[in-house]
Amino acid sequence: MSNEFEHGLFGCFDNCGLSIITFLFPCYTFGKVAESVGDSCCLCGLVLLVPVLGFFSMMSVRGKVRETKGIDGSCLGDLLKIMCCPFCTLVQEAQEVQGPGRQYMTRA
């Protein structure tokens, strides 16, 4: 594995609409990212509301995104990023799974 995320951790302004949706409704964005890697959208969105369980769920989904896209990283690195900047990690993951031509994250 030698790939990196297409957008940096602080690349929130690469897609302002997605950033706004994530800030207002993080459960929605997280659910959609989880759905893109094969997890349940609704279940993951709800789990995000449970403080400790939400962190583990975010780590799991971020790991699946990295694995799917062949991106380097570790569980510890994921945990640190999620704890320090959860919204930025969600936007980064959403931009990664959204890819070119898939705009489901910003539709109303």
Side-chain angles (χ1 to χ4, degrees):
M1 286 192 229
S2 63
N3 292 335
E4 295 182 5
F5 279 94
E6 187 177 323
H7 300 270
L9 185 61
F10 300 108
C12 299
F13 296 108
D14 294 344
N15 186 335
C16 290
L18 177 60
S19 296
I20 291 168
I21 289 171
T22 302
F23 182 73
L24 295 174
F25 307 106
C27 294
Y28 173 78
T29 302
F30 182 62
K32 286 299 196 179
V33 170
E35 183 178 55
S36 73
V37 292
D39 290 345
S40 170
C41 178
C42 292
L43 182 62
C44 286
L46 290 173
V47 166
L48 191 62
L49 298 173
V50 181
V52 175
L53 193 56
F55 279 116
F56 287 113
S57 183
M58 287 180 73
M59 284 177 48
S60 172
V61 169
R62 187 168 177 88
K64 289 178 183 179
V65 169
R66 283 190 303 99
E67 183 180 313
T68 302
K69 300 291 184 170
I71 297 171
D72 286 330
S74 67
C75 289
L76 180 60
D78 291 345
L79 178 63
L80 292 173
K81 288 172 185 150
I82 290 166
M83 290 179 71
C84 292
C85 198
F87 294 108
C88 293
T89 58
L90 274 178
V91 171
Q92 184 183 40
E93 293 163 18
Q95 288 176 331
E96 190 67 33
V97 299
Q98 186 171 321
R102 291 183 67 186
Q103 298 297 321
Y104 64 85
M105 295 285 189
T106 56
R107 287 188 190 153

